[in-house]
Amino acid sequence: MMDCVSPYWSQMSIRNLMTRSSQTCRCKVTWRRNYSFYRDEVKSLRAVVSPDISKIRNIGIMAHIDAGKTTTTERMLYYAGYTRALGDVDDGDTVTDYMAQERERGITIQSAAVTFDWKDHRINLIDTPGHVDFTLEVERALRVLDGAVAVFDASAGVEAQTMTVWRQAEKHKIPCVCFLNKMDKPAASLRYSLDSIKTKLKANPILLQIPIGSGKSFTGLVDLITRQKMTWQGSSLTYDGCAFETSALQPSDDPDVLQAVSEARATLIEQVADLDDDFTELLLGQYSENFDAVPAGKLQEALRKVTLARKGVPVLCGSSLKNKGVQPLLDAITAYLPAPNERNHALVRWYNDDLCALAFKVVHDKQRGPLVFVRIYSGSMKAQSAVYNINRNGTERMSRLLLPFADQHIEIPSLSAGNIALTVGLKQTVTGDTIVSSKASAAAAVRRAQKEAESKSSSQRESSSLALAGVEVPEPVFFCSIEPPTLAKQTDLEHALNCLQREDPSLKVRTDPDSGQTILCGMGELHIEIIHDRIKREYNIETHLGPLQVAYRETILQSATATDTLDRTLGDKRHVVTVELAVHALESSTFCEATFEEEVKTQLPADVREAVENGVQSAYLQGPVLGFPVEGVKTVIQRVRLEPGTSAAMVSACVSRCMLKALKLAGGQVLEPVMALEVTVDEEYLSLVLSDLAQRRGTVCDIQSRQENKVLLATVPLAEMMGYSTVLRTLTSGNATFSLELSSYEPMNTQDQNTLFNKMAGLA
């Protein structure tokens, strides 16, 4: 055997060497990065500053897959002094991608929280996934954050998943900062990226820096606010980017750079003046003769107001992999993104200084049990204390409090408002639960809220609790059966699935009523594949997955009325109930409704009404055509007559049976999930991709240009997209990427519906 050792191998040379060695001499290859800048000392998490709440920043890193989120996070931790060396996604040694599946695939699967300080500010940062299958991870992270950094590939601009995460940030009204990463790529374009932010995100980008050089000659930035030039010298293989030269622009500098800076700064001042009236008055008053003379501090102050009001988004640029531009990004986070006390959380004020926190994520630790991530909105959280869960209406004891740093945690005695913590001992708490100090504290908050509502003669709905809004969980689109290797392992599998469901609310598990099989429902092929792999690795169960199937829906075509009577004797009791109801199709609605005619509603007791509603809801779970859930249906209960002694269960059973009869009379229609597809491909392969798409019942919406590539936008049924990544890679020789996102559920035509019937009946 031969050992080949080198200070550093590029990713390509490693791949080539491994390929050659496997084909020829089977030599053993060992490589390691031999940076000359490994730190002698690393800051301890115990040394993280605990500043005033105004100097805390809770931020998330969000982007399309492979834009550089994890690499940017890794550089932030290194420059803040909390890691000894720069980790690399390709090498699988980053701090935040700690799962085995993440390191093997080079993607982020679970959001990871880290805490560090930067220039007297405490930053609680969450690195989120970019893959569409893990959108829930982004959703629940943004729910508890105050600001976000949107990372863009400067050669691609706004991509498919960028728009998804941007919509999520908009929904939670989160101020953002944009970072144009990968400025060292030959195809990187500042102008194209800014235009795509304007047109695709409908945002107002405010450029704060311009790059010095382009492509491989990208060496630094010019700060438009301070007119400072920042340059990073040296190769990223031997230079960690910690030290960089900062100098004021001089008249002797490159005339092209001076001209570009002058024009860009004038545009910056004009943009901020358009968005902030106070800044406009300042310009017209004190600096009317020369707008460019406005001090950097005043401009920065106005820009912060604009950012917090979400009227504009500051844009910075750099190259995280090449260690350039990350420190100015950290400065921008502290300068422009909000502190916790600058965000308006309406319900929190009723708790005054009492504890109010939201549980937003659960992970299972083999030694510690369930670890619950919480965001503290008011008061403080202490270890060895009891807390009250409003959603579960129960008290739990928290044994320990931890400060998160990816998968490494430091135990702390207490933590104040505005921070993110990890708790040990909360066995009942799940994602979306509100945690307060005690039941009395929750009751006092309700009294304060109701008292103010009365004093203002408000029509605000009285509530028995003031719980924070939870997290919206998307419906799964794929499902498959899962079976243990032996019946003896069934209990272990159920325990594993319960733990994984608690960690990941987008994973649904149900039992098939006909076959008794356990059914796994997820957000995509990758999602289910990861769950299967985790069951094998973390719980040591070799499960078997059935074929992947699509989660269809059903609806009705017309209105129908049905009547049903249930007459059954159980023991010495006779149960008799008669139900009459009507079902109506709801146009362009994905929800189902159930209402009573006014006369029926007044006659029925509350427990009978509840039994009727339960019967309707259970009927909605299984449609009349293929047994898929029903949507877009309104049910009106017209008559319910029952004899004394009839049980609620019999009422529900009769209603369900009557519902099934009505749905069959109304004519069933199968709805299939249709995906929004975006394919980025070289022009020479475009015709092959289009022709393949036509065979998959795809509809082309648009073909756009992105630098030298073509971007194909289309809609295509999910059922036709099984194994598409392999086919696309083959068609384009690996020169294409794609992303899928659920667009809508659409009715199937008669021919496709008959094909589906035959397939499910085993005839096709």
Side-chain angles (χ1 to χ4, degrees):
M1 298 290 283
M2 176 178 64
D3 284 340
C4 308
V5 183
S6 169
Y8 185 92
W9 291 92
S10 70
Q11 188 183 357
M12 189 58 72
S13 62
I14 290 169
R15 191 182 295 119
N16 292 341
L17 180 56
M18 290 176 71
T19 305
R20 286 200 302 272
S21 61
S22 64
Q23 291 172 346
T24 55
C25 65
R26 293 183 176 274
C27 67
K28 179 183 174 185
V29 182
T30 308
W31 64 87
R32 64 177 70 90
R33 286 170 299 156
N34 185 21
Y35 289 121
S36 59
F37 41 80
Y38 277 92
R39 292 183 188 279
D40 293 328
E41 292 185 6
V42 178
K43 287 184 185 176
S44 165
L45 267 183
R46 298 185 191 282
V48 174
V49 295
S50 297
D52 179 73
I53 194 169
S54 63
K55 290 195 172 184
I56 295 174
R57 299 290 182 269
N58 293 306
I59 64 159
I61 305 281
M62 61 181 195
H64 185 82
I65 191 168
D66 211 26
K69 299 178 297 298
T70 302
T71 302
T72 302
T73 304
E74 192 69 22
R75 270 48 181 176
M76 288 180 176
L77 294 174
Y78 181 78
Y79 297 138
Y82 285 86
T83 55
R84 193 172 297 279
L86 290 164
D88 192 285
V89 172
D90 294 325
D91 293 341
D93 60 358
T94 58
V95 171
T96 51
D97 282 355
Y98 56 84
M99 288 174 63
Q101 293 86 349
E102 292 176 318
R103 294 188 165 178
E104 286 172 3
R105 290 169 170 81
I107 61 170
T108 301
I109 293 168
Q110 281 195 347
S111 55
V114 289
T115 300
F116 59 96
D117 55 49
W118 180 258
K119 297 184 179 178
D120 298 326
H121 286 73
R122 181 189 185 116
I123 298 177
N124 300 310
L125 181 145
I126 298 181
D127 178 24
T128 65
H131 198 285
V132 68
D133 283 17
F134 310 109
T135 299
L136 177 70
E137 286 290 318
V138 185
E139 175 71 23
R140 62 180 173 183
L142 291 176
R143 170 64 187 85
V144 297
L145 296 172
D146 302 317
V149 176
V151 180
F152 300 79
D153 180 337
S155 65
V158 174
E159 298 175 85
Q161 190 64 7
T162 317
M163 293 190 279
T164 302
V165 297
W166 192 270
R167 281 195 300 268
Q168 290 174 301
E170 287 282 300
K171 181 173 76 174
H172 295 292
K173 299 181 176 165
I174 291 177
C176 294
V177 166
C178 296
F179 180 59
L180 304 183
N181 192 25
K182 305 190 180 184
M183 288 299 296
D184 59 302
K185 289 177 75 170
S189 169
L190 184 70
R191 183 49 49 202
Y192 175 80
S193 298
L194 291 173
D195 288 343
S196 68
I197 291 171
K198 279 183 195 172
T199 55
K200 293 184 178 180
L201 302 182
K202 307 297 183 223
N204 190 3
I206 302 173
L207 187 63
L208 303 189
Q209 301 168 338
I210 61 169
I212 300 172
S214 60
K216 290 183 179 178
S217 62
F218 170 64
T219 57
L221 310 160
V222 177
D223 186 323
L224 298 176
I225 292 179
T226 62
R227 296 191 190 88
Q228 293 284 314
K229 181 171 67 173
M230 293 166 277
T231 52
W232 286 262
Q233 300 296 338
S235 162
S236 62
L237 306 186
T238 57
Y239 173 66
D240 65 353
C242 267
F244 57 94
E245 294 178 16
T246 303
S247 59
L249 281 177
Q250 301 297 330
S252 57
D253 284 325
D254 185 343
D256 292 339
V257 172
L258 293 174
Q259 177 69 19
V261 169
S262 177
E263 291 173 0
R265 193 170 196 273
T267 303
L268 166 62
I269 292 170
E270 184 182 328
Q271 278 184 290
V272 176
D274 286 342
L275 299 170
D276 182 38
D277 292 340
D278 292 340
F279 186 66
T280 306
E281 288 179 16
L282 178 72
L283 284 180
L284 296 176
Q286 297 181 35
Y287 305 99
S288 55
E289 293 183 6
N290 182 11
F291 290 167
D292 198 44
V294 66
K298 296 290 185 184
L299 182 53
Q300 199 172 54
E301 187 181 313
L303 184 58
R304 178 176 173 78
K305 283 175 62 181
V306 166
T307 307
L308 297 190
R310 295 170 50 248
K311 295 178 181 177
V313 286
V315 178
L316 299 94
C317 51
S319 172
S320 297
L321 188 63
K322 302 300 182 185
N323 312 323
K324 297 170 184 175
V326 177
Q327 295 96 325
L329 175 61
L330 282 166
D331 291 336
I333 287 168
T334 60
Y336 305 120
L337 292 181
N341 59 350
E342 292 176 300
R343 295 272 288 156
N344 179 33
H345 302 287
L347 290 181
V348 176
R349 61 195 173 105
W350 305 121
Y351 288 94
N352 292 344
D353 293 328
D354 287 345
L355 171 67
C356 178
L358 180 71
F360 67 93
K361 183 177 171 70
V362 180
V363 295
H364 279 82
D365 185 276
K366 287 183 179 178
Q367 279 76 39
R368 299 181 179 120
L371 307 178
V372 181
F373 285 83
V374 294
R375 160 71 194 270
I376 306 170
Y377 286 100
S378 67
S380 62
M381 193 169 260
K382 296 180 178 65
Q384 299 291 338
S385 63
V387 292
Y388 177 70
N389 186 324
I390 291 179
N391 303 72
R392 309 285 143 208
N393 190 24
T395 301
E396 292 189 274
R397 186 162 191 82
M398 180 174 53
S399 59
R400 286 194 284 171
L401 193 63
L402 307 172
L403 196 63
F405 194 78
D407 60 338
Q408 304 296 317
H409 315 299
I410 298 295
E411 193 167 345
I412 51 174
S414 65
L415 202 58
S416 59
N419 282 296
I420 289 171
L422 198 54
T423 63
V424 181
L426 303 183
K427 293 184 169 30
Q428 305 302 319
T429 304
V430 298
T431 297
D433 285 357
T434 300
I435 295 169
V436 296
S437 55
S438 65
K439 193 170 185 176
S441 169
V446 171
R447 286 195 298 273
R448 291 186 201 107
Q450 291 176 348
K451 188 175 180 182
E452 180 168 308
E454 288 166 8
S455 67
K456 292 183 178 179
S457 303
S458 170
S459 59
Q460 178 181 325
R461 176 179 62 88
E462 288 193 4
S463 174
S464 58
S465 69
L466 285 177
L468 297 165
V471 179
E472 289 182 22
V473 181
E475 286 297 315
V477 292
F478 272 120
F479 69 94
C480 67
S481 62
I482 182 168
E483 295 175 353
T486 62
L487 281 175
K489 287 281 187 180
Q490 180 67 36
T491 306
D492 293 340
L493 176 60
E494 287 172 3
H495 169 71
L497 291 174
N498 285 336
C499 291
L500 290 169
Q501 276 189 99
R502 192 174 170 197
E503 285 188 26
D504 181 2
S506 65
L507 171 68
K508 303 284 172 64
V509 179
R510 60 181 174 84
T511 303
D512 187 279
D514 299 323
S515 66
Q517 284 183 308
T518 303
I519 306 297
L520 212 57
C521 308
M523 301 305 299
E525 289 181 83
L526 181 62
H527 186 203
I528 289 179
E529 184 187 328
I530 295 294
I531 294 296
H532 184 223
D533 193 43
R534 288 190 64 191
I535 291 171
K536 178 181 175 181
R537 292 189 195 218
E538 296 173 26
Y539 298 93
N540 298 316
I541 307 172
E542 289 277 358
T543 54
H544 170 70
L545 286 186
L548 216 52
Q549 299 181 60
V550 174
Y552 293 96
R553 297 280 187 272
E554 295 182 23
T555 190
I556 56 175
L557 298 171
Q558 58 194 31
S559 299
T561 304
T563 306
D564 196 18
T565 300
L566 186 146
D567 187 343
R568 188 167 297 172
T569 302
L570 294 176
D572 58 350
K573 270 195 172 183
R574 187 181 177 205
H575 304 266
V576 182
V577 57
T578 301
V579 175
E580 183 180 339
L581 54 81
V583 292
H584 307 282
L586 291 174
E587 292 295 327
S588 64
S589 173
T590 59
F591 300 101
C592 289
E593 297 177 14
T595 60
F596 294 84
E597 287 191 350
E598 199 59 42
E599 187 180 343
V600 177
K601 188 175 182 179
T602 54
Q603 289 176 353
L604 292 178
D607 60 332
V608 176
R609 282 204 307 272
E610 185 180 351
V612 170
E613 287 171 354
N614 289 340
V616 172
Q617 294 303 326
S618 66
Y620 283 151
L621 296 175
Q622 205 162 1
V625 185
L626 290 171
F628 289 105
V630 175
E631 66 175 43
V633 175
K634 179 180 180 180
T635 302
V636 180
I637 309 298
Q638 298 173 331
R639 182 164 62 95
V640 178
R641 192 176 73 245
L642 64 159
E643 302 215 354
T646 302
S647 71
M650 291 298 173
V651 174
S652 295
C654 183
V655 172
S656 292
R657 203 165 71 178
C658 189
M659 277 285 296
L660 184 59
K661 190 187 291 187
L663 291 171
K664 283 182 177 177
L665 289 171
Q669 166 77 59
V670 177
L671 306 174
E672 66 176 341
V674 175
M675 311 300 284
L677 171 70
E678 180 180 298
V679 183
T680 305
V681 61
D682 288 352
E683 190 166 2
E684 61 178 300
Y685 299 108
L686 181 61
S687 58
L688 292 172
V689 174
L690 285 169
S691 123
D692 175 70
L693 202 57
Q695 295 173 21
R696 297 174 183 271
R697 296 192 284 134
T699 304
V700 177
C701 303
D702 195 11
I703 299 176
Q704 302 172 351
S705 294
R706 179 182 291 165
Q707 310 291 15
E708 297 174 359
N709 294 326
K710 292 293 181 184
V711 179
L712 172 63
L713 304 177
T715 56
V716 59
L718 177 59
E720 304 291 341
M721 297 303 289
M722 300 286 191
Y724 184 66
S725 58
T726 305
V727 174
L728 184 66
R729 198 160 47 239
T730 305
L731 284 174
T732 63
S733 302
N735 289 300
T737 59
F738 79 102
S739 64
L740 277 177
E741 184 182 2
L742 180 64
S743 174
S744 60
Y745 274 87
E746 299 294 338
M748 297 181 77
N749 62 44
T750 308
Q751 183 181 345
D752 293 332
Q753 193 164 297
N754 289 336
T755 304
L756 178 63
F757 291 163
N758 292 334
K759 183 180 177 182
M760 296 199 70
L763 302 174

